Amino acid sequence: MAKEDSNIVFVANYPDENTIKEGMSQRVMAIDKHFSADRRTYLSVSHRFYKKKEIHIISENAVQYRCNLFLHFFFIVRLLAKSKFVYFHSMYNVFPVFPCLLFIKSDKRLILDVHGVVPEENKFIGRNFRAMLFGFVEKYLFGRLYLAISVTDVMSAFYKEKYPACKMDQITYPILPSNVINDKYAVQDIVSEEVINVIYSGNLQAWQNIDLMVDMISSNLSPFVKYDILTGDPERMIQVLTDKGLVINENLSVNSVTPEALAEYYAKAHYGFILRDDIIVNRVACPTKVIEYMHYGMIPIVKSENIGDFYNLGYEHIAMNDFKLSAIKVQKSKKNNLIIADLKNKSKNIAIRARLLDNC
C-alpha cells in the first residue's frame, strides 16, 4: 500500500468498472500509466459526503482516499503538503479542496489538467453563480500553477490570453481513447460500395443538437444512404425519431452497442455527425467522438468547423448545410486517419513523468 509521505497526489477519482469508459476516466488512466512504478495517492473530496474517510487499495503503489473537507481537513492538508506534486484532474476537482490550498506552501508544485473551460461551461448552461465561483478558484490557481496541461493548442492559447500575467508552463497532451491508442486501423482504398454509411455515436444532451441532426436525416433519406445511431439511450432516441415521423428500418437503425463493437460500425462508416455550436467551450475542446471518427477515416459533419486543433490541422469535414444527397458519396479520409496517427505519436513522445518529477 502507498504511504502518505512523499506520494504523488492526484486529485481525482480513480476509475472503476462503472466509470472506466468515461472521457475523464480515459484521461486519468492515460496519465496514471506514466507513474505506474511510483507511489501515488488518489484523493476525492466532498463538502457533503464521506463522513467516514474511505480508503481503497488500487495497487501495491496506489491508494484512493475519499474524504470530507470539513471532517478531514487537516488530513487533506497534510497529504497535499507532503506530496512531491499535486495533480488536479479538472477544475471541478480543485474546487472541493480549494480552502486547503491556502495552507500549502506557495512553492508547492501544482499541476492542472485543464480538460475544459469550466467557468465558461457553467455560464453557457445558465449556472452563473457556479461560473463565478469556478472563475475565482481558477484565477487563484493559475497564479500558483507550475504547469497547465491542455488537450489542445487552442486551449493553451486561450488560457495564455486569459491570464497573461501568469508564469506557469503549458503543454498540450491530447485525450486519446484507449480504443484508438491500441487500434492499428488504416484506411483502405474503396473498391466497390453502393451504400453511403452515416453514423452518430453519442447520447441526447442538448449540446449534441439532436433535433437538428434528425431534421438533416429527414431531408436526406435514400435507399442508398444508411444511418446508424449508436446511443446509450436507444428508447428515448427512437422516440425522438418517431416523433419527427421517421421510421426505423434497414436504412435507419438505433442500437446500443458495447465499446468493443463500435469499431465494426466505425470501419464501415463514411460520415459522422458532430453538430457542436460555435462557442468557446467547443472551440478549445478535443471531443473523443471526433478522434474516433477521424481515426476510422470518417468525414465529420459539422455545424461549426472550429473544433479544437482540427481546423488548424486541416481535417476533412463537411458543413451541415452542404450535407445533401447530391453532395455526399462513398469515401473515406486517409488524411483524417493520418492526423490522428500524428496525434498518437505526439502523445507518446511527451515525457510527462520526467517533466513533473524534474528536480522534485
Side-chain angles (χ1 to χ4, degrees), residues 27-289:
R27 181 63 158 197
V28 171
M29 294 297 292
I31 297 297
D32 187 76
K33 288 179 181 177
H34 291 270
F35 301 93
S36 58
D38 298 290
R39 288 188 301 161
R40 59 210 188 279
T41 294
Y42 280 84
L43 175 65
S44 179
V45 177
S46 172
H47 294 175
R48 298 169 55 202
F49 304 112
Y50 312 129
K51 292 182 179 179
K52 182 178 180 181
K53 181 171 60 183
E54 295 184 7
I55 306 173
H56 302 276
I57 307 304
I58 299 170
S59 69
E60 183 179 357
N61 288 330
V63 62
Q64 170 85 64
Y65 289 107
R66 295 190 178 96
C67 302
N68 182 281
L69 174 68
F70 306 105
L71 298 178
H72 309 118
F73 182 85
F74 295 107
F75 169 79
I76 296 167
V77 169
R78 185 174 72 249
L79 201 64
L80 300 179
K82 290 185 175 181
S83 65
K84 292 180 179 178
F85 62 80
V86 181
Y87 191 114
F88 295 100
H89 273 287
S90 171
M91 186 60 61
Y92 285 108
N93 289 318
V94 179
F95 183 76
V97 301
F98 174 68
C100 300
L101 299 183
L102 305 177
F103 295 85
I104 306 300
K105 290 183 179 180
S106 60
D107 62 351
K108 173 60 63 176
R109 190 168 290 191
L110 304 179
I111 294 91
L112 176 65
D113 202 314
V114 185
H115 286 265
V117 286
V118 173
E120 289 77 9
E121 288 172 2
N122 280 273
K123 186 174 182 179
F124 174 68
I125 60 178
R127 295 177 175 175
N128 293 327
F129 182 68
R130 283 170 60 92
M132 181 187 68
L133 288 178
F134 279 118
F136 174 79
V137 174
E138 181 187 86
K139 184 176 182 179
Y140 173 85
L141 185 66
F142 269 81
R144 290 190 57 179
L145 278 184
Y146 169 74
L147 178 67
I149 302 177
S150 300
V151 295
T152 62
D153 289 336
V154 175
M155 183 179 284
S156 292
F158 170 79
Y159 277 105
K160 188 173 183 178
E161 181 178 349
K162 187 175 182 179
Y163 299 112
C166 294
K167 299 179 180 180
M168 78 284 178
D169 287 335
Q170 290 181 292
I171 61 172
T172 298
Y173 188 65
I175 295 178
L176 297 173
S178 58
N179 61 317
V180 168
I181 292 174
N182 300 322
D183 189 81
K184 305 297 183 183
Y185 178 84
V187 174
Q188 304 297 317
D189 292 329
I190 295 174
V191 179
S192 63
E193 184 101 34
E194 294 184 359
V195 177
I196 301 169
N197 289 284
V198 184
I199 208 166
Y200 170 73
S201 179
N203 290 314
L204 294 98
Q205 300 95 330
W207 43 268
Q208 301 277 19
N209 284 314
I210 297 300
D211 287 340
L212 178 57
M213 179 185 75
V214 174
D215 289 341
M216 291 175 65
I217 293 173
S218 298
S219 301
N220 293 281
L221 294 174
S222 166
F224 302 104
V225 180
K226 185 178 190 307
Y227 296 96
D228 285 306
I229 312 293
L230 307 178
T231 178
D233 194 352
E235 291 184 5
R236 189 171 158 217
M237 182 69 78
I238 290 172
Q239 187 63 55
V240 171
L241 293 166
T242 54
D243 286 348
K244 291 276 191 173
L246 292 171
V247 178
I248 306 302
N249 55 35
E250 62 181 9
N251 286 93
L252 176 59
S253 69
V254 178
N255 293 290
S256 178
V257 302
T258 64
E260 294 74 23
L262 283 174
E264 180 181 348
Y265 286 89
Y266 288 164
K268 291 190 294 186
H270 306 109
Y271 298 89
F273 286 108
I274 179 79
L275 303 175
R276 304 289 177 88
D277 294 311
D278 187 17
I279 57 175
I280 189 60
V281 173
N282 295 325
R283 285 184 224 131
V284 304
C286 185
T288 298
K289 187 187 315 182

Side-chain angles (χ1 to χ4, degrees), residues 183-189 267 295-297 332-334 337-338:
D183 189 81
K184 305 297 183 183
Y185 178 84
V187 174
Q188 304 297 317
D189 292 329
H295 171 69
Y296 285 95
K332 284 279 196 179
S333 172
K334 291 184 178 181
N337 174 259
L338 290 174

Side-chain angles (χ1 to χ4, degrees), residues 328-343:
I328 59 177
K329 61 183 179 180
V330 173
Q331 62 178 327
K332 284 279 196 179
S333 172
K334 291 184 178 181
K335 184 174 186 179
N336 285 351
N337 174 259
L338 290 174
I339 287 173
I340 302 304
D342 287 343
L343 285 180

